[in-house]
Amino acid sequence: MNRSAPRRPSLRRRLLVFLLIPMIALLMFDAVLSYGVALTYANRVHDRDLSDDAVTLAKLLDNDRLGSQLTPQARFLLEYDPDGRSYFNVRRGSGGLLAGNGQLPQPAHAPALGAAPTLYDTRLDQHTLRAATVHVAARHAAGDSLIVTVAETLHDRREQAREILLLAVLMQTFLIVCLLALVWFGVTRGLRVLDPLTAQLAGRSLELTPIDGADVPQEIQPLTRTIDALFGRLRSMLDLHDRFIADAAHQLRTPLTGLSLHVERALADPRPETVADALGHIQRLTHRAARTSSQLLALMRAQTAPGDPGESRLLDLARLIPEAVTQRVHEAIRAGVDLGYAGSAQPLHVLGDAAGVQDMLDNLIDNAMRYAGRGSNITVQLQAREDGGATLSVEDDGPGVPSELMSRLSERFFRVAGGNEAGSGLGLAIVQSIARRHHAEVVYQAGSGQRGLRVEIRFPPATRGRAST
């Protein structure tokens, strides 16, 4: 059954969604705000008209010619309302209703004589009304006054606010649609700056040069710098592979050539003593080739192992190192070497990789056993430092190394002149690579009494991790 491929994320779609959702929310908020502003504006206009109507009606009623009576035309105009009715009420200040079309409730505080109209909300016949009351002197009745109240429903106010809101929303929606179209066009055009970079990468074969240049936009520089860092790691890895191939070819050429010569010698002279001598040489050369290959692979692993601190653990060297030394005692006895350990039994923790630390110690012991020779003494020592770190040292009492050559001991394939030719010259280079991965320092110095060689691995203090079990 064929299943459709999962939909890939789109940067263009994500940008547009991130813009569209806030715009819709902003439009809704603006609609509520616009309706509130429109309703406030409509209320203000209608309140002003309502106050003017109350004052006008009061003046009209106070006209001597009208005799405090409304004409039918004035009553019709006051009562006309498309949504219901307009209401009015005229009372004497001394009491009594002169005219009106409803019992309008009066405000909580009666307006003062001659003061501006009082506006208030009220209800009549289940209608919510807005009313205006004015208190004026009656010229036709000495000592008396008129209280005129005019009220209207809220239909016109709300209708006007809705019309304003509709116009505002339509206009703003149009503007947002135009803005989104511009954003779409801008995002599409803006993403085209990636086209030259894409074409540049597509046109490369095995070229791993940096791609971050002056023409790369600053917004995508983190991406290009990450790619350049990846290219740098790949270049380093490829360089290591090329170096490994070259080193393997260089180091294995001599033993393989020797193997070929001794095989030809045995074939050319089949006498038993010649064949036995040739087989002895072949065995030694085979062991040398095998050791060189093993050392090359160990160096490659040490150089290419990930250096992620998250993979490290808190190691107790006071427990790890004695166990590793114990495993080499029988080999040292066969080689005629006195191998010993000196160190405190108190826990001594460093942050690192147990297998890497053991490989480092094995190479240091191998190096000391090969170059110190039979009858020598090798001491592995573990000490705590005042800064919280630890120092692991391997010291022998062999012929030692001239001081001017100490700095070259970590070079690959470097061997001190006159030393044991069976060595590959890779042991201390492996030690250096593993120590670097553990942020440790390798120090070479003369042994006690200026005899032999002392190699110290100075581990930094352990600040995190968990205890190794």
Side-chain angles (χ1 to χ4, degrees), residues 417-449:
N420 190 341
E421 294 299 324
S424 62
L426 292 173
L428 295 180
I430 295 173
V431 170
Q432 180 68 43
S433 296
I434 298 175
R436 188 181 299 115
R437 203 169 76 233
H438 286 75
H439 306 288
E441 180 186 7
V442 181
V443 178
Y444 301 103
Q445 56 191 15
S448 302

Side-chain angles (χ1 to χ4, degrees), residues 256-337:
L256 291 177
T257 301
L259 287 174
S260 177
L261 290 175
H262 286 292
V263 169
E264 292 177 357
R265 175 188 168 199
L267 292 175
D269 187 359
R271 290 179 300 170
E273 59 274 16
T274 303
V275 172
D277 183 65
L279 289 176
H281 283 289
I282 290 173
Q283 185 181 34
R284 288 191 296 272
L285 290 172
T286 302
H287 289 165
R288 179 179 173 184
R291 175 170 175 76
T292 300
S293 300
S294 176
Q295 292 287 80
L296 285 170
L297 290 173
L299 179 61
M300 175 64 69
R301 284 195 302 270
Q303 290 177 332
T304 59
D308 184 5
E311 297 182 0
S312 300
R313 301 178 65 190
L314 202 58
L315 307 175
D316 183 5
L317 293 185
R319 191 170 131 195
L320 178 65
I321 299 303
E323 292 178 356
V325 173
T326 301
Q327 296 174 8
R328 303 298 302 272
V329 169
H330 296 291
E331 181 182 351
I333 293 175
R334 288 196 301 271
V337 173

Side-chain angles (χ1 to χ4, degrees), residues 13 62 143 196 256 260 274 297 319 342 351 386 396 415 417:
R13 183 169 59 250
D62 195 40
L256 291 177
S260 177
T274 303
L297 290 173
R319 191 170 131 195
L351 196 64
E386 293 182 357
D396 64 70
R415 291 195 292 265

Side-chain angles (χ1 to χ4, degrees), residues 70-279:
L70 283 178
T71 63
Q73 293 85 356
R75 182 182 291 274
F76 173 78
L77 290 175
L78 284 169
E79 293 179 352
Y80 175 73
D81 184 352
D83 186 51
R85 301 182 63 182
S86 291
Y87 300 87
F88 72 98
N89 219 329
V90 181
R91 293 177 178 272
R92 290 184 184 274
S94 57
L97 180 67
L98 287 176
N101 59 357
Q103 296 295 325
L104 290 174
Q106 296 300 303
H109 302 284
L113 185 64
T118 299
L119 292 164
Y120 61 97
D121 295 323
T122 187
R123 291 185 63 84
L124 181 65
D125 298 334
Q126 297 185 354
H127 288 287
T128 300
L129 304 178
R130 183 70 169 171
T133 297
V134 64
H135 192 182
V136 297
R139 290 182 298 171
H140 60 280
D144 203 355
S145 61
L146 296 175
I147 299 176
V148 180
T149 302
V150 178
E152 65 180 7
T153 61
L154 304 181
H155 176 270
D156 289 344
R157 301 164 182 254
R158 293 170 179 171
E159 185 66 25
Q160 188 174 6
R162 283 193 292 267
E163 290 176 357
I164 296 174
L165 173 64
L166 181 61
L167 291 175
V169 169
L170 287 176
M171 181 180 64
Q172 290 167 5
T173 302
F174 175 74
L175 290 176
I176 286 179
V177 170
C178 293
L179 181 60
L180 283 176
L182 290 175
V183 170
W184 174 277
F185 176 77
V187 169
T188 302
R189 294 279 298 179
L191 291 177
R192 289 183 182 176
V193 300
L194 298 176
D195 292 343
L197 183 61
T198 303
Q200 179 186 353
L201 290 173
R204 291 190 176 193
S205 55
L206 297 178
E207 185 181 359
L208 296 177
T209 55
I211 62 174
D212 188 16
D215 57 340
V216 175
Q218 61 180 1
E219 289 77 10
I220 63 172
Q221 277 188 341
L223 174 62
T224 57
R225 288 171 181 168
T226 302
I227 294 175
D228 288 343
L230 175 62
F231 282 173
R233 292 193 295 271
L234 287 176
R235 284 196 303 271
S236 299
M237 189 69 66
L238 291 175
D239 290 343
L240 284 175
H241 289 172
D242 292 342
R243 189 180 304 170
F244 173 78
I245 294 173
D247 292 343
H250 178 268
Q251 292 299 311
L252 295 178
R253 181 185 299 114
T254 299
L256 291 177
T257 301
L259 287 174
S260 177
L261 290 175
H262 286 292
V263 169
E264 292 177 357
R265 175 188 168 199
L267 292 175
D269 187 359
R271 290 179 300 170
E273 59 274 16
T274 303
V275 172
D277 183 65
L279 289 176

Side-chain angles (χ1 to χ4, degrees), residues 6 23 46 52 93 170 173 240 245 361 413 469:
M23 284 184 179
H46 280 264
D52 292 343
L170 287 176
T173 302
L240 284 175
I245 294 173
L361 179 61
F413 309 118
T469 57

